[in-house]
Amino acid sequence: MRPSRLWRAPAVQALLIQLLALLPLAALAIVLDTAGRGLTLLTAALLQGGLALLITWRLGLAPWWRPIQLLFPVGVLAASALGLPPVLYLLPFLFLLALYWSTFRTQVPYYPSHAAVWRAVAAELPPGRALKLVDIGSGLGGMTLHLARARPDCDCLGIELAPLPWLVARLRAVLSGSRARFVRGDYERLDFAHFDMVFAYLSPAAMPALWKKAKTEMRQGSLLISYEFEIPYCEADKTIVTTEGGPPLFVWVI
């Protein structure tokens, strides 16, 4: 990753905010210590978390970073107090890394869809001709596997960047004898011109760039379908409610 992109990554910014919040806290601790009134570690952790939350809010990072920033110093303090072997922290870290991989850069966490969404997407596909379909950020492969079953005449591809979900999807396809294909990679490097339908369940942060890519590359009459997340300032051609009270499905005809 280029240095300019690294500094723009929200996770890197969040870490820098914690370091920035540490500076006034250190100054306060020195002043209080000089006056004979030191800070307890818990009070210091809460103050640092509060400062980090305020900076995060002022800089306009996504709202879910605020509780993370508030609780991060307390979490570090609690973890150090437990005195657990380092391997007990390493193993969950490696698991989460394999599951989420580059979420810190893409701002697209693991979001699983469900069978009602899969059926609704299959119902939107034009009948009577073979289609090329792709699920970008395919996760554990549920959507792609369902489309391969529902439309055996179609070429169904799932692309996933995180290694663990990709591996699980590949195994599911092999064990079930599915014709669905799964590749590990970044959908941003995929040419959408090869597909009649692109399905996405990403995040609000990814939608403007996705729309630009779709408009540039997709053929006229092809479908872009997004679950839950709209494209800003671009009204969908069709909105489908798949489950009562659940997020809608948005369909754009390119």
Side-chain angles (χ1 to χ4, degrees):
M1 184 188 299
R2 294 192 302 270
S4 59
R5 294 189 68 180
L6 178 64
W7 296 123
R8 290 199 298 269
V12 175
Q13 293 177 7
L15 180 59
L16 292 175
I17 288 171
Q18 286 289 342
L19 295 175
L20 181 61
L22 189 60
L23 297 177
L25 178 64
L28 176 63
I30 292 171
V31 171
L32 290 177
D33 189 62
T34 302
R37 300 180 62 185
L39 284 173
T40 66
L41 287 176
L42 179 58
T43 302
L46 290 171
L47 286 173
Q48 181 176 336
L51 286 171
L53 183 153
L54 289 174
I55 298 171
T56 298
W57 170 66
R58 290 293 297 173
L59 292 181
L61 265 68
W64 58 78
W65 279 108
R66 298 171 195 171
I68 293 174
Q69 294 285 58
L70 175 64
L71 298 175
F72 179 76
V74 177
V76 171
L77 180 62
S80 64
L82 291 175
L84 297 174
V87 69
L88 293 182
Y89 298 108
L90 177 62
L91 293 177
F93 170 77
L94 292 176
F95 172 77
L96 292 174
L97 178 65
L99 180 62
Y100 291 104
W101 200 244
S102 61
T103 295
F104 76 95
R105 173 179 64 85
T106 62
Q107 302 186 66
V108 180
Y110 171 60
Y111 284 132
S113 56
H114 52 83
V117 178
W118 309 340
R119 291 191 294 268
V121 171
E124 290 302 304
L125 300 178
R129 62 186 179 96
L131 304 169
K132 290 190 174 183
L133 317 173
V134 63
D135 177 4
I136 57 175
S138 52
L140 301 180
M143 170 66 78
T144 310
L145 291 167
H146 176 83
L147 293 178
R149 289 192 302 269
R151 291 292 301 267
D153 57 324
C154 295
D155 179 20
C156 303
L157 175 70
I159 183 168
E160 172 61 51
L161 193 55
L164 183 57
W166 164 77
L167 180 59
V168 171
R170 285 287 302 272
L171 289 174
R172 292 180 68 187
V174 170
L175 293 176
S176 64
S178 175
R179 295 175 59 253
R181 297 182 296 116
F182 294 94
V183 297
R184 183 174 174 266
D186 189 342
Y187 75 84
E188 293 179 0
R189 299 181 181 179
L190 197 66
D191 187 355
F192 284 0
H194 298 307
F195 301 99
D196 301 289
M197 188 279 293
V198 174
F199 173 79
Y201 189 17
L202 301 177
S203 78
M207 298 310 292
L210 174 64
W211 178 243
K212 182 178 180 181
K213 180 176 175 64
K215 290 292 288 182
T216 301
E217 297 177 0
M218 293 183 74
R219 300 189 303 269
Q220 185 176 3
S222 53
L223 300 177
L224 174 64
I225 303 180
S226 171
Y227 181 52
E228 186 170 350
F229 304 116
E230 296 182 82
I231 295 169
Y233 313 113
C234 183
E235 185 176 355
D237 295 296
K238 189 174 184 179
T239 301
I240 304 167
V241 177
T242 59
T243 54
E244 185 176 354
L249 196 66
F250 301 102
V251 181
W252 293 267
V253 181
I254 305 300

